[in-house]
Each structure stands twice: as C-alpha cells, then as structure tokens.
Amino acid sequence: MISQLRQAGTLIGLVLIVVFFTVQLPETFLTARNLINVSQQISMLAVVAFAMTVVMVMTDFDLSVGSMASLAGIVAAVLFTADQPVWLAVVAALAVGVLGGVVNGVLVAVLGILPFVATLGTLTIYSGAAFWISDGKTIFGRDIPKGFSEFARGGVSLDAVGFAGVSLPYMTILALVVLAVVWVTLEHTTYGRRLYAIGGNAEAARLAGVRVRWLRLSAFAITGLGAAVAGLMYASRVASANPTQGAGLMLDAIAAVFLGMTMGKEGEPRALATLVGVLILGILDNGLTQMKVDSYVREMLVGTIVIAAVATSSIGRRA
Amino acid sequence: MAEPLEFSAMTKRYGAATVLSDVSLRLSPGRVHALMGENGAGKSTLIKLLAGVVPADSMLVRQGARTLPLRSAADAHAAGFRVIHQELNIVPQLSVAENILLGQPIPQRFGLLVHWAELARRARAALAELGVSHMDVRRQAGGLGTGDRMLVKIAAALVQDAGQTACLYVLDEPTAALNGAEAEKLFAVIGRLKQQGAAILYVSHRMAEVMDICDDVTVLRNGRHILTTEIAQTSRDQIIHAMTGRDVADAYPPRRTPLGDAVVCAAEGVSTARLTGLTFTLRQGEILGVAGLAGAGQGDVLSLFLGSVRPTAGKAVLSGGVLPTSPAQAWARGVAHVPQERRSEGLMMRMGVRANALLPHLTGVIARKGPERRRVADLSAAVNLKAAGPEQSLWQLSGGNQQKVMFARAMAGQPKLLLLGEPTRGIDVGARFEIYKLIRALADGGCGVLLSSTDLPELLGLCDRILVLQAGRQATILSPDGMAPADLLGALQAAPLALETT
Amino acid sequence: MKRLMLPLALAGFATAAPMALAETVAVITPFLAQPGTQAYVQAFQEDAATRGWEVNVIDTAGDMAAVISRIEDAVTQKVDAIVVNVDPAQVQAGLQTAADAGIPVIGMDAGADPLIVTNITSNGYAMAAETSVYVANRIEGKGKVVMFVFDAFPPVQIRGVVADAIFANFPDIEVLDRITPDVQDGGIADSRAKMEAVLAANPEPGSIAAVWAAWDQPALGALQAIEAAGRTGEGIVIVGMDANPQARDAIAQGGNFEASMAQDFVGIGKAAAEATARAMAKEEIKSKVTYVPTVLVTKANAAP
C-alpha cells in the first residue's frame, strides 16, 4: 500500500502540477497549442533522457551525452559548410554518436573504468573535439540548409482530428518514436531484460551466462546514438551549431531519469517513468515562465522538486 | 551473578501477517541457549526485537524484579544486550584495529593525530581476550576471511563493554560461513563469554554444533513457541521434529536409477592458478562431491566447467568437447550453476522471481511475459517455491526460497552438468531436505552433479564419490560408504598441514 | 502530503492575474549573468516602469533552444512585445512563432534579421577599430601583439576581424598569438594562465609590446599575469573592451591597462524601450539596426 503510493507519488506530483497551472493560467495553459509547444520544447531533453535510461538501467552513467550532442551537431554543420547533402551530414553525425558511445563502452566494459570517471573524461574530449572541428565558431545562417532547419519547424497537421491550425511537430513525433524504441527494447526484448539483470547484479548476471561486457558496450553505443539524435534536433531547432549547445542536456536528463526512478517498484529506471520525469521538468519550465516566476527562482524550485521526489521515495522505501 | 533475563508475550505483526506470536524466552547467565526454527519461523524477528531495531507489538522484558524498557537500539545497548548480526558489516577500507574500535573515541597524539600504536595495542588486547593472536591488526579488514571478520565483530562488541558488562550476547548464524578451524576458535570464545557470566542466545541451523556447545534450546515454528528444553534432555530427532513438524525420514533420498555410462565431464592432470592435479571422470547421473578446507581450491573445480577460470595445464572435457570459455557458453552447452555466494554471485535481489529464474534461458529477441510467467509457475511448483507470485522481489523471500529460485534457474535448462556450491548454506532443515530431493531428482534424470560443500554429512549422504582437495592439490577420491563425518574431516586435514585462515 | 506542498509553494510565486490594461513585455536572454546584459536589461526595466509596462525577464542560462521555448511560451501568454538579445539566426523558430502571432520582437544587442523589428546595439566594428588603432598608435606601429578573441560568439568575433585587419595593415606589427580563452570561469583566470604561458615563452623585456583583448576579462587576466611576472615596467600596453567597472578601476590606476571602449548600455536599454514602444504603437521603423554611440575610456575619463 505504502509502496504503491510511493510509486504513484511522482505521477500524482505531475498531475498536481498540471492542475495547478491549469487553475493559475486558465486561458493559456491547457490549450492544444501550448501543450504542443511543450512537447516540442522537451523533445530534445526527452531523447537524451531516454537514451540515458538505457545505461542507467545497468546502474551506469553517461556524463558525456551533452558534449556528444554538441559534437554531433557540429559534425553535421561542418559537413553542411562543405556543401555535403543533408542525409550524409545526418548519417555522419549519428555515426559519430555511435562511435563516441562505443568509446565510452570500451572504457567502461572492457577496461573496467568507473562510468563516472570514464564519461567525465570523454565529456571533455568530445567537447574539445567539437571546439576543434568548428574552430570554436558558431556555424549558422546560410551554411545550414533549409531542409535541415525546416525539420524543427514542421509538423503533421492535426486539422483532420479536430484541432484546426495546430500541427504535431516532427520533433515531438521523433521523440515519441525514440520513446517507443527504447520502451520496447527495455521492456520487451531479451536484450533489455539482460540489461536490467546487469543492473540487478552484474557478477551474478555474468555467471548466469549474460555477456555482460558486450551488452554494456552496446548499451553505451545506443546512448551515444540517442545523444547524437538529440544533438541534431537541437541544431535543427536553433538552425545553427555551437560547440557548447548540448551541454545543458546532461544534468537535466539525469534529473529526469532520477525522477522516473522514484516510480520503479525497486527504484529501477523505466522508459515511461523517465517520460514522466521529462514532463515534470518541461511543464514546470513552461508554466513558471508563463506565470512570470523569476528564472533563477525557477531553477531553485526545479532542483528542490527533484530532491523532494527522490527523498520522499527513499523514505517510503525504508518504511 | 546477574539474574536471568525473561522475555514474555513477544508479538510482532507486519500488516496482516503475524510473524511472532506470544513467544516467551528465559535466558540464564552462564548458559548458551540455542534458538532454532526453519526460515520464516520468526527467529530473525525475535532477534530484531531483542536488538531494539524493530518495535514489538507487545513484549515484556524483566531481569529479576526489574522491568527493562526496550524500545530502541540504545535501550538494548544500555540493558547490556550485544547482537552480532549475520551480515558482517565491517568497513573494508579501514584497518582491523579501526574496525574493532569503531564508534570508540580514537586515541590521539597531540589531540590531533591518530595514535596508531595505541589503537593497535587496544585492538590486540581485545583480540587477546578472545584468545586470538594470529591477526595483524594493522592490515585492511577487507582482506580478512569470513571467520576472521566474525572474530573482529565479536571483539568490537567486547570493546564496547569497557566499564559496563554485557549480560546477553546474541549470535546470529555465526558459523554459517566459517570452516572447521575457525568455528573451533569461535566456540572457545563463546566458552570464555560464558565463564564471564553472560547469557548467550545462539542461532544456528547446524544441528551438530548446537548439540555440542549449547545448554538449552528453544524451537520456534511459524512464529510460535514449540519447545524449550535442556539439550541434555533432548535429541537431534526431537528438535528436528519440533522444527519441521515431521519426522526425520530419509534426510538424504537414495538413488533410484543406476549411473549412466556416458561421461558428462572429465579432467586429467588439470591445473589452474589455485589448483593442481585435478583428475576425475563424472558419469551421467553421478553426484561427485568436492571437499576441502576453506581455500583448498574447491571454487576452481566448478569455475573450470563454468568457463570462468581457464586451465593452465592438463586436459579437460565437457560432454566430449573442449571447456567453455565463458559462462554464457557453458549455460548454452547444458551446464547449470548454483553459486556458493547466493547474494553476490547468484541473485538480483531487487528483481523478481521470473527475471531471476529465467535469466540464462532468455532466447530470441522479444521477451514474452505470458509464456515466461507460465514457465516460472511450472518451475516454482517443481521446486515448491513459496512466493507471492512470479514478480515478487527476491529480497522479500527467505533464504531457503531464494535458493529454490536458484534451483529453478538451474533446472529450467534441463542441464547435463549441475555445478553446486554450498547448496544448503544458511538454509533451514525443512528447505534443506527439499533441496536434497531436487538434487537427487536431477541426478536420477541423468544429470551429472559436481557438489562442493563444507557440510560433511551432506557430502556423505548425497555423493557417489568424494574428491578431496588439500591446499590446492587433489589428494584422493573417496567412496562415502561406511564413512563418518569425522573420518572425512580427517581425510581433509591429512595433508602436510598448512591450516590456512583465509 | 509532501506532494501537496508543491502547489502551495508555487502559489507563493503566483502574482495576481496580469492587469488587463498594462502592456506586457517579455525580455528573454541566455546571457543575464554578464554585466553588460544586466546593465541594459535594468535600464530597459526602469524605462518600462515609467511607461507602466509589466516586464518579465527570463534568463535561460546559456541555453539557446530554451530561448526559443520561452519565446513560444511568451507567445502563448499573448504578451504585447518580446525583447531578445541573442543571434536571431539561432532562434528563427521562435521568431517565426512570434511573427505568426503578430507580436513584435525587438533586438537588444542581438543581430539584424527580417523577423526583428530593429536591433539596438553598439557598432562593434567601430569599437574594435578604435582600440586597435589606439594600440597601434601607442606602440608606434611596431612590436609584437597578443590578441584575446572569442570567435564562437558572433558579436565578439567581428571585433577580432577588425583588429586582425588593422594590425595586418601595419607592416611592423606582428601578432604573436591569437588566444581563445576558456570562458567558463568568467574568462579572467584562464586568460591569466594563458598570458603567463606567453610571458614565459617570451622572457626578453620588451619582447611583447601590447595585449589586445576583445573584451575586458582577458585584459584583466593579462594585467594580473604581467603584474605577477614583475614585468609591469616594460610598458606593455593593454586594451580591453566594454569598460566594465573592474576594467575602469584598473585603467584609472594608470597601469598597463590603458584603454577600453564603453558601450552605452543604459542608452541601449532606453533605446530598446523606445523602439518597443514604437513597435507596440504599430509605428514603422525603417532601419533594421539602431546604433548607440560608444566612448573610448582612458585614464582621463575612467572614473566611473
């Protein structure tokens, strides 16, 4: 009973936040347009957080996702400036993400370096690489092809389902696709089940025939790919690439996964629970901006909420 | 001498479940009182009540005419109760001396620096009081073997008593992880505590040592008090009957089918980093015991066929082929494994029965919950698992049921070779019999079994042959027919004796 | 129980519903931590207060995508005007949303863009030209110059370009190094470290004639390095830009740090408020860029 309440607590928190903003902002908050906006605003964070969930299932970490996102955006933009086609730039950026993830995976799974240390190191390396490739410049303007930046502004019209003039952004759709892929992978494949087993007890999993090394490596590669996708989304959204632009995603992503973990039966991360975490962070940003709450107060509030949620859940767990 | 401690009306409920119901206990100074019962009988709960870490729904504690309050760990400590828990929570990074004096004011020089020499002196004094002198108190405690860790914990409990006397020591499964020599040291220590006039509550599954060192016994079953008597007035069979509610009938189920001819696995002159001269053949349906004192190299015999240790010399085969090179390969080739350290090497404690039992047997890409649940239901029935369902987390199960999950995992793949490490360690009598039946059933079905154990009666009762290791070397292979545990112990020790305390 | 605390806590921040009559203006910036931004945002707020507007200042702490998100939120909230100080190319999506909703966006030290009504700023090219020429004149057209630049940020990048051109035009001036400091710590500490390395590599007195910094923090860092190395007597000329209080202080003391350019931040803020008022009144503003004059700060006029 207590445990169910604890598990539902974060979800209840989300509902209360939504109710609160709906009451405070009756005109503007609970409108199709605003919710669509929110979905687009959080899409990049969501993709990074879903990708982060994959490694956190194994109780690992990837601190390099932010700089990996920046690097992927820069790689695509540099290829744009060299007049390469959009598809090639995108594929190259995604490949860089996978490669970066594989490097993390080798450091953690093969060399046995603690994920915190290994990815802290690669965070710096990827960030340096992004600066180096771009000469530290922001690449923007005519260098970024329309076809690429239009993606973040386009969407599928919802006229047909009764929301005239509203369209579901491609960014949102992409985030939902990533969610679906991560959810199926973690919950419904033997691969995901093995990742959870590694998180449960890596040594026991190894002795029970799980190829721990290979799985950890590949999970880091998946996280790298996700970070690259988010980096491209970010670059498309701001129609430019800057070597530091993804940096803020990492801590928010970890916070979102932690918020989600409060909903796990045994405190384990789950894809859908991460979505709840992302929604809480995104809706707070949107609603508090509309309520004109000072942005610094907003930051303190978000941090407090993350701690409160995790603390509540750990108190509930002990009881 | 102090007066006896009387605990009465001890009751504890968790939600709807009553785990301890109106239990009374009388502990006299200078006597060792055994507390016995199957897992789930309420022993752990009773200890928690005594330690003050869990509030009782009702409990009365009297010492002579005095009523003692017992609502917190501080109360328990003030009353002179010292509980040495089953989990040995030492701090591996700190030295032995620091562990012993943990929680005490640290001796200092100039009010600033740690006075290491003084710290070591006090620690050595505490160990000397227990008659222990073999430990270097300056080394890191993480390097200690289980037996020495236990001694460190007891020494730490003694140190706390400077200035005030403890009237009760509670020892929870103290010998579960000790080898014979280590256990002997512990018994000597218990003898001293007894002489000093303390009452001792001794919780153990090991019938032999209870009969040996205890003066009284109390048996619990399903949270109720069943029996209290002097050891001298009772028998092993009577205690087991009280614990299980049934007679000791065929503790070790006999073989029902003859050995097969096919060889499951074999070794010839095999060496590993910790083992030399391993030579044996295991036939279908055979149970081969692997015996030795702690650190004699038993682990490597199993690890060899699990693919987690590579041979450095010699030739070994698994069902006609080469050795597996990883546990993944081993499971795929019909090897099943029940590790010695259930918690650290076997189970994912925060995951459910289904995830734990089926982990090595996941196939294909998509994991399908429905068929998996049905499969786990069948397996649970086969091992007689008592769990709330396929998703119940392992930490919520008793030790015996956790081990049954390990057996469900092992049986699920219909193994050709079963590797067992201490399959009944820390498991109560009732569950133990069930596990013996499972092992026998697997062997009867043609599975070869390598059984590594320090429980000598278990080896003698189950095995067709016993491979004896002495300090990393294969000494002999014995037939258990007509052997007594003492004979087997003699065989284990008959080496040019280097008693390792690992 | 604890969950219930949250809305209660939030309620504390809830202001009364916006007054129906007052115009609402959202000021959205990722750079509020910087002194210049603070100055013109404050000037804007003061001017807005006299006009009776309700101003909501939002800082996204360096996050460019969040600027777009907050513009969208402001549009949802139906503000009357939005003021931004970011490169418009990076927030096109947000500007388009505002344009679709018919809400004017005014640039405050941002950049020119068709979707921005007008951009109020200082002439960065002119400022860089002034300090570069100051350096060239002080060292009489010859010697080695160390440059501190930051090409990742377009408004600073253009300063570097102008300085490059001017120094290249003096045959006897050699650019010894073109350093991009790490700005995560504010720029002073890393610039100092970089300058110490340059000093160590050029130990001859007089081997470095001047330090040209594209903004004040590296100039201050370089000054600290020169002082620490005991080489203040070599007459190394340091110039910065933006004339922040710390820089004014250093210039006023008459040491190596000789000159900086003062942007009129207050003027930018006021001019932005004026442009905002005109935009809300649907007045047409022809020029996409409005320059506010700048002043060379030397010892003579450094007192704040």
Side-chain angles (χ1 to χ4, degrees):
Chain A
M1 175 58 199
I2 289 172
S3 123
Q4 266 103 22
L5 200 64
R6 173 179 62 69
Q7 274 174 256
T10 302
L11 194 58
I12 294 171
L14 173 61
V15 171
L16 288 180
I17 289 170
V18 170
V19 168
F20 174 74
F21 285 134
T22 309
V23 171
Q24 288 289 327
L25 303 160
E27 308 268 303
T28 55
F29 181 72
L30 211 59
T31 60
R33 180 171 292 280
N34 189 49
L35 296 184
I36 294 269
N37 271 347
V38 172
S39 76
Q40 175 158 318
Q41 291 166 5
I42 63 175
S43 57
M44 296 154 286
L45 171 62
V47 168
V48 176
F50 297 148
M52 182 71 90
T53 307
V54 175
V55 283
M56 286 184 71
V57 156
M58 306 182 298
T59 66
D60 284 338
F61 259 110
D62 188 347
L63 301 182
S64 72
V65 285
S67 57
M68 189 103 75
S70 304
L71 179 60
I74 286 288
V75 165
V78 165
L79 289 173
F80 291 148
T81 58
D83 286 329
Q84 297 296 325
V86 172
W87 69 265
L88 182 68
V90 167
V91 168
L94 296 179
V96 164
V98 172
L99 189 70
V102 167
V103 170
N104 284 334
V106 168
L107 294 177
V108 171
V110 180
L111 299 184
I113 302 174
L114 283 178
F116 188 90
V117 179
T119 60
L120 188 63
T122 54
L123 176 160
T124 316
I125 294 172
Y126 300 153
S127 168
F131 271 100
W132 183 57
I133 294 174
S134 65
D135 277 338
K137 285 185 190 133
T138 302
I139 300 168
F140 65 102
R142 266 172 302 136
D143 291 332
I144 308 295
K146 269 257 179 304
F148 181 73
S149 51
E150 289 291 302
F151 176 81
R153 276 178 252 167
V156 176
S157 170
L158 293 181
D159 291 351
V161 288
F163 292 102
V166 180
S167 62
L168 189 61
Y170 292 133
M171 299 269 277
T172 305
I173 295 172
L174 181 54
L176 288 173
V177 168
V178 173
L179 171 63
V181 169
V182 171
W183 179 72
V184 168
T185 305
L186 289 182
E187 305 286 334
H188 292 287
T189 66
T190 52
Y191 178 83
R193 298 283 308 284
R194 291 189 175 106
L195 293 190
Y196 276 109
I198 293 172
N201 184 342
E203 177 61 7
R206 187 183 72 81
L207 291 175
V210 173
R211 294 177 195 278
V212 174
R213 209 177 270 194
W214 160 245
L215 287 177
R216 277 179 103 184
L217 200 158
S218 61
F220 272 98
I222 291 174
T223 301
L225 176 62
V229 170
L232 288 172
M233 291 167 76
Y234 199 116
S236 172
R237 175 122 162 119
V238 298
S240 60
N242 168 295
T244 63
Q245 66 191 14
L249 291 170
M250 179 262 287
L251 286 177
D252 280 348
I254 292 177
V257 179
F258 271 127
L259 276 173
M261 282 164 68
T262 61
M263 299 169 62
K265 179 170 161 239
E266 296 284 2
E268 74 283 2
R270 302 245 169 222
L272 291 176
T274 297
L275 174 63
V276 173
V278 171
L279 284 173
I280 289 178
L281 296 181
I283 288 176
L284 277 176
D285 257 356
N286 173 277
L288 293 177
T289 306
Q290 289 198 39
M291 282 177 56
K292 298 177 211 136
V293 173
D294 188 287
S295 40
Y296 301 134
V297 174
R298 212 171 63 221
E299 278 181 35
M300 294 192 292
L301 207 56
V302 168
T304 309
I305 286 166
V306 171
I307 291 173
V310 175
T312 314
S313 102
S314 71
I315 290 166
R317 202 179 299 285
R318 220 173 301 142
Chain B
M1 191 168 270
E3 292 176 90
L5 284 160
E6 297 196 50
F7 301 85
S8 51
M10 287 194 277
T11 298
K12 177 67 191 172
R13 294 181 205 91
Y14 287 110
T18 304
V19 291
L20 207 59
S21 170
D22 195 23
V23 171
S24 301
L25 194 62
R26 186 171 196 274
L27 303 175
S28 305
R31 288 181 77 85
V32 182
H33 194 120
L35 178 65
M36 303 196 73
E38 303 191 285
N39 283 336
K43 302 185 305 275
S44 314
T45 307
L46 191 148
I47 293 170
K48 284 178 189 156
L49 296 191
L50 294 194
V53 294
V54 164
D57 290 316
S58 85
M59 172 162 70
L60 193 62
V61 190
R62 303 175 67 86
Q63 189 167 30
R66 277 193 310 145
T67 304
L68 303 177
L70 197 52
R71 278 181 298 269
S72 66
D75 282 349
H77 195 262
F81 299 176
R82 303 287 177 267
V83 180
I84 292 152
H85 288 286
Q86 197 170 1
E87 281 84 25
L88 295 173
N89 299 318
I90 63 156
V91 186
Q93 294 88 347
L94 297 184
S95 68
V96 168
E98 285 168 287
N99 268 285
I100 290 174
L101 294 162
L102 208 61
Q104 303 293 311
I106 294 174
Q108 291 178 325
R109 270 190 229 257
F110 320 123
L112 183 66
L113 304 173
V114 175
H115 196 327
W116 289 107
E118 172 65 12
L119 192 73
R121 197 194 58 74
R122 286 195 205 170
R124 271 191 220 103
L127 286 171
E129 237 181 287
L130 299 179
V132 176
S133 57
H134 67 276
M135 242 185 279
D136 177 0
V137 296
R138 290 176 186 243
R139 71 184 279 202
Q140 275 199 343
L144 294 181
T146 329
D148 286 349
R149 288 179 183 211
M150 174 69 69
L151 296 177
V152 165
K153 290 304 285 187
I154 295 175
L158 277 177
V159 168
Q160 290 182 343
D161 298 334
Q164 81 181 120
T165 355
C167 63
L168 170 63
Y169 286 91
V170 179
L171 302 178
D172 187 8
E173 298 272 2
T175 56
L178 303 193
N179 64 26
E182 290 168 330
E184 287 303 329
K185 277 185 207 151
L186 177 68
F187 297 154
V189 168
I190 290 173
R192 282 187 185 230
L193 296 175
K194 205 169 135 174
Q195 277 172 12
Q196 290 166 10
I200 291 152
L201 184 64
Y202 190 86
V203 184
S204 177
H205 283 116
R206 296 193 170 178
M207 194 58 70
E209 66 192 36
V210 165
M211 302 303 287
D212 262 7
I213 69 163
C214 296
D215 304 302
D216 308 293
V217 61
T218 288
V219 177
L220 302 181
R221 189 166 78 224
N222 295 329
R224 292 172 188 284
H225 177 265
I226 300 294
L227 170 78
T228 295
T229 177
E230 281 185 37
I231 291 286
Q233 306 295 317
T234 185
S235 69
R236 176 191 155 93
D237 287 1
Q238 194 194 353
I239 294 174
I240 291 178
H241 187 270
M243 285 167 66
T244 60
R246 58 180 181 260
D247 285 320
V248 195
D250 300 320
Y252 302 105
R255 157 175 309 289
R256 273 176 308 213
T257 53
L259 292 190
D261 292 325
V263 171
V264 175
C265 67
E268 202 181 318
V270 169
S271 298
T272 69
R274 281 178 292 261
L275 195 62
T276 55
L278 188 67
T279 304
F280 72 89
T281 306
L282 179 71
R283 290 160 65 192
Q284 273 188 342
E286 185 177 21
I287 303 178
L288 177 64
V290 180
L293 301 177
Q298 301 94 311
D300 270 16
V301 180
L302 304 193
S303 300
L304 207 53
F305 293 94
L306 187 63
S308 59
V309 158
R310 303 294 299 153
T312 52
K315 188 167 173 289
V317 292
L318 170 65
S319 47
V322 294
L323 285 180
T325 56
S326 70
Q329 244 182 45
W331 283 90
R333 288 177 56 190
V335 176
H337 177 227
V338 175
Q340 178 172 333
E341 302 294 337
R342 197 161 56 231
R343 279 162 167 267
S344 61
E345 298 175 345
L347 294 168
M348 295 154 290
M349 299 300 286
R350 295 204 158 270
M351 299 178 75
V353 173
R354 174 171 63 101
N356 272 283
L358 296 185
L359 181 59
H361 311 296
L362 298 174
T363 50
V365 173
I366 301 298
R368 291 152 56 93
K369 241 180 212 175
E372 283 189 4
R373 286 203 170 137
R374 284 193 287 281
R375 192 167 174 206
V376 167
D378 291 346
L379 286 168
S380 302
V383 300
N384 193 20
L385 178 72
K386 292 191 189 73
E391 306 304 331
Q392 186 169 28
S393 296
L394 266 282
W395 62 268
Q396 295 171 318
L397 300 181
S398 68
N401 279 310
Q402 288 172 1
Q403 188 71 332
K404 286 180 185 171
V405 172
M406 291 306 300
F407 270 85
R409 175 192 286 178
M411 288 165 63
Q414 278 144 1
K416 295 196 194 92
L417 171 62
L418 176 61
L419 306 172
L420 297 176
E422 302 288 352
T424 57
R425 170 179 290 178
I427 286 175
D428 62 61
V429 178
R432 189 179 280 236
F433 291 169
E434 294 185 64
I435 281 170
Y436 293 150
K437 275 190 219 152
L438 291 174
I439 296 172
R440 175 56 72 201
L442 278 162
D444 280 342
C447 176
V449 179
L450 282 177
L451 168 62
S452 161
S453 176
T454 47
D455 187 321
L456 304 182
E458 170 176 301
L459 286 169
L460 293 170
L462 276 179
C463 298
D464 297 296
R465 291 181 299 153
I466 300 171
L467 190 158
V468 175
L469 298 172
Q470 291 169 346
R473 202 175 48 75
Q474 177 173 340
T476 178
I477 294 184
L478 301 171
S479 163
D481 290 340
M483 265 186 120
D487 303 334
L488 182 53
L489 184 63
L492 301 188
Q493 292 169 336
L497 198 63
L499 250 189
E500 286 182 71
T501 46
T502 44
Chain C
M1 177 54 210
K2 287 191 181 61
R3 312 284 179 185
L4 295 176
M5 307 278 287
L6 169 63
L8 293 179
L10 290 180
F13 298 110
T15 45
M19 281 170 288
L21 293 176
E23 281 108 337
T24 318
V25 180
V27 178
I28 303 170
T29 168
F31 306 123
L32 198 56
Q34 291 174 9
T37 309
Q38 277 164 13
Y40 51 68
V41 167
Q42 196 180 350
F44 182 93
Q45 279 176 300
E46 280 164 10
D47 202 292
T50 65
R51 298 169 192 261
W53 302 342
E54 196 178 329
V55 178
N56 182 18
V57 179
I58 298 157
D59 179 24
T60 68
D63 189 337
M64 210 57 78
V67 172
I68 299 178
S69 301
R70 300 292 83 84
I71 293 175
E72 288 169 353
D73 293 347
V75 170
T76 304
Q77 193 197 333
K78 300 196 180 73
V79 298
D80 297 288
I82 297 171
V83 178
V84 295
N85 79 327
V86 294
D87 178 3
Q90 291 182 265
V91 295
Q92 280 291 311
L95 298 180
Q96 192 63 54
T97 310
D100 293 346
I103 297 174
V105 179
I106 292 86
M108 188 154 64
D109 204 8
D113 189 273
L115 293 175
I116 287 205
V117 176
T118 188
N119 179 36
I120 319 296
T121 186
S122 310
N123 190 337
Y125 294 104
M127 290 163 67
E130 252 186 276
T131 59
S132 309
V133 171
Y134 178 90
V135 165
N137 292 340
R138 276 284 286 111
I139 63 176
E140 291 165 4
K142 59 175 185 288
K144 291 178 180 168
V145 178
V146 179
M147 292 176 70
F148 282 91
V149 295
F150 199 79
D151 291 345
F153 184 50
V156 178
Q157 182 257 344
I158 63 172
R159 298 175 179 178
V161 169
V162 169
D164 286 341
I166 288 175
F167 293 141
N169 206 34
F170 287 88
D172 293 334
I173 289 182
E174 182 194 340
V175 174
L176 189 63
D177 206 346
R178 205 168 179 283
I179 297 167
T180 302
D182 185 341
V183 294
Q184 283 180 7
D185 54 4
I188 295 184
D190 190 60
S191 302
R192 174 177 172 165
K194 296 267 163 55
M195 188 66 202
E196 279 166 352
V198 171
L199 288 168
N202 299 276
E204 297 297 310
S207 56
I208 297 170
V211 175
W212 183 91
W215 72 109
D216 282 331
Q217 274 82 355
L220 290 163
L223 176 64
Q224 288 176 4
I226 289 167
E227 285 171 349
R231 293 174 65 171
T232 49
E234 294 176 23
I236 302 174
V237 177
I238 303 175
V239 297
M241 211 175 291
D242 301 334
N244 73 29
Q246 207 181 342
R248 280 175 185 271
D249 219 41
I251 294 168
Q253 283 173 15
N256 295 66
F257 197 162
E258 294 188 6
S260 184
M261 289 300 296
Q263 295 193 56
D264 184 2
F265 292 120
V266 172
I268 290 176
K270 281 188 175 153
E274 176 60 29
T276 305
R278 290 170 65 194
M280 288 195 292
K282 309 277 186 238
E283 198 178 313
E284 193 196 358
I285 300 175
K286 282 220 173 98
S287 171
K288 284 286 168 192
V289 182
T290 309
Y291 284 126
V292 174
T294 57
V295 183
L296 182 75
V297 174
T298 59
K299 195 181 176 190
N301 61 348

